[in-house]
Amino acid sequence: MCGVIGIYGNDNVVYEIYEGLIALQHRGQDSAGIITYNEMFHLKKGMGLVNNVFNEKNIARLQGNIGIGHVRYPTSGFGSLEDAQPFYINYPFGIAMAHNGNITNYYELRELLEKKFFRKLTSYSDVEVILNMLGVALEKHLKSNNFFKSLCLATKEVFKYVKGSYSVVGIIADYGIFAFRDPYGIKPLSFGKKNNCYAFASESVVFDMLDYSFVRDVYPGELIFIDKNKKFHSKRLKREKYSYPCIFEYVYFARPDSIIDGIGVYEARLRLGEELGKECLKENLKPDVVIPVPDTARAAAFSVSKVLKVDCKEGLIKNRYIPRTFIMPTQKEREIKVKQKLNPIKSEIENKKVLVVDDSIVRGTTSKEIVALLRKAKAKEVYLAITCPPLRFPCVYGIDMMTRGEFIAKKYSIEKIRMMIGADKLIYQTIEGLIKAVGGGKREHFCTACFTGIYPTKIKKKELEKIEKERIKQKITL
Ligand code: AMP
């Protein structure tokens, strides 16, 4: 779960990158960083929100018309400052890089880099491995006097070695800016333009903020390079039969005002509500009111209410100043934070059969607290409808879903979950409904690994176990 931006502009790009990172803040609140280049690299990264890391003084230092930025929530590494992005190396060129995603053969590649190529790393961030792999490969392919050709050959090697998901932006000092996306296109990356300025961003919403026009998504397996004369080069270096964009981006993660791989996130959420509404009809639910859990589930709740022909009301109010409950280290802390975060509007709830719509259940903490809040506000009955199917498998591609043990649906049946969270009815989206709704007739293939356990990059059982083991270790260290 990260957000990236890369801009090749005319004047100092740091201000645009800063604004862009603010628009991507939802993709990571743990650390933020920007690196720019004029005759030398200028780097600032720190822990916390974009607003906390950058100030007038350090922004003034980040000179140059070319730069990349990153917001991070750690899915590998230890979440310390050493793991904050961007990173850079100085050989065979000055190369800076940031990425969104997660590589699944990290330890194998780290060992290869250390033992075979004598590259010493400074962190446990997986982008450092991609960066060094690119460095090693570029050195090998530099013979050609066509730099883009060399970069293509080097990136092809990255695609060959690096497994998992990675949407990458980078600078090559004195040569230009580049971006590539893994061959399965798991994490989003889009491309925009304003006059003779070029930008890459995890979500198209950045272009709206910065007045760039959205050109298109970077294709899976594609390398785009804008050279120092602002000439555009691109090549699709690896094609898989299908691409598999992460479906959870549409369910929960991305901003509703973004368009990813040709599908509007807001429209996808409206359709998720339509499909979920049909499931509620099958269960013969007859609520008096539909209430979204703010903010992600709003669009879906609106559609559910239309299908059921029942009013949709704001019955839960969110305190925006409470940090994310999901990242609290202990269960007790998470429970307290949910209570601080959400408060019911009693007049909308008292004596009513309430259907609450939320985007997902992971551990069940939020749902349990919400049901208790609504009962305390004297709801007559509480039904819970979830816009995605039961989450059961860890995401190895960059969404913060750590280990199988954390998923309530991995351990218990739906009926048991309903009892545990105390709802009168619990309705989940079906996997067919999910794919139909998000695809909207435009696309059938997505990464659905967290629901189905089918990983598009065909991860080995041993690799999965290793990732889980490391995550448990990191959680304890955090
Ligand atoms: P839980 O309380 O553990 O069941 O988590 C479910 C809640 O967390 C839902 O209300 C979601 O909106 C939110 N959520 C789901 N997945 C994630 C994620 N990967 N990171 C942060 N929040 C999430």
Side-chain angles (χ1 to χ4, degrees), residues 248 252 324 326 358-366 399-400:
F248 204 68
Y252 169 76
R324 280 175 45 202
F326 203 78
D358 200 359
D359 56 82
S360 56
I361 297 180
V362 183
R363 304 176 186 91
T365 322
T366 311
I399 297 270
D400 172 33

Side-chain angles (χ1 to χ4, degrees), residues 1 73 248 252-253 293-294 296 324-327 331 334 338 358-367 370 391 399-401 406 408:
M1 290 166 59
Y73 183 74
F248 204 68
Y252 169 76
F253 200 38
V293 177
T296 321
R324 280 175 45 202
T325 48
F326 203 78
I327 57 177
Q331 184 63 13
R334 280 193 287 267
V338 174
D358 200 359
D359 56 82
S360 56
I361 297 180
V362 183
R363 304 176 186 91
T365 322
T366 311
S367 313
I370 287 172
L391 284 160
I399 297 270
D400 172 33
M401 285 179 198
E406 280 180 311
I408 194 169

Side-chain angles (χ1 to χ4, degrees), residues 215-260:
V215 177
R216 62 172 171 83
D217 296 283
V218 176
Y219 300 129
E222 183 189 26
L223 166 72
I224 296 183
F225 176 57
I226 314 295
D227 70 21
K228 64 175 177 208
N229 301 316
K230 299 240 175 105
K231 192 162 171 240
F232 173 91
H233 308 257
S234 105
K235 189 152 190 190
R236 231 166 144 180
L237 300 170
K238 193 154 190 237
R239 271 176 203 264
E240 296 295 338
K241 191 165 174 205
Y242 300 111
S243 59
Y244 294 88
C246 163
I247 207 159
F248 204 68
E249 290 274 348
Y250 300 92
V251 170
Y252 169 76
F253 200 38
R255 269 177 63 149
D257 42 350
S258 283
I259 298 167
I260 299 177

Side-chain angles (χ1 to χ4, degrees), residues 386-399:
I386 305 296
T387 71
C388 70
L391 284 160
R392 296 198 170 106
F393 300 90
C395 176
V396 296
Y397 301 126
I399 297 270

Side-chain angles (χ1 to χ4, degrees), residues 74-139:
T75 42
S76 84
F78 290 80
S80 60
L81 185 57
E82 285 95 81
D83 292 335
Q85 301 188 31
F87 279 82
Y88 71 93
I89 52 173
N90 278 315
Y91 184 77
F93 297 95
I95 312 176
M97 190 183 273
H99 96 133
N100 171 211
N102 196 53
I103 64 177
T104 53
N105 57 343
Y106 170 81
Y107 292 96
E108 192 189 306
L109 294 180
R110 193 183 164 101
E111 205 179 308
L112 182 76
L113 283 168
E114 286 181 346
K115 298 218 168 115
K116 188 162 174 208
F117 299 107
F118 307 104
R119 296 241 168 185
K120 295 292 166 212
L121 306 187
T122 60
S123 76
Y124 284 93
S125 169
D126 50 1
V127 78
E128 218 193 347
V129 162
I130 307 176
L131 173 60
N132 278 278
M133 291 300 295
L134 184 73
V136 167
L138 248 182
E139 187 185 358

Side-chain angles (χ1 to χ4, degrees), residues 325-337:
T325 48
F326 203 78
I327 57 177
M328 294 294 147
T330 69
Q331 184 63 13
K332 194 77 219 150
E333 278 174 279
R334 280 193 287 267
E335 282 167 19
I336 294 168
K337 286 286 179 238

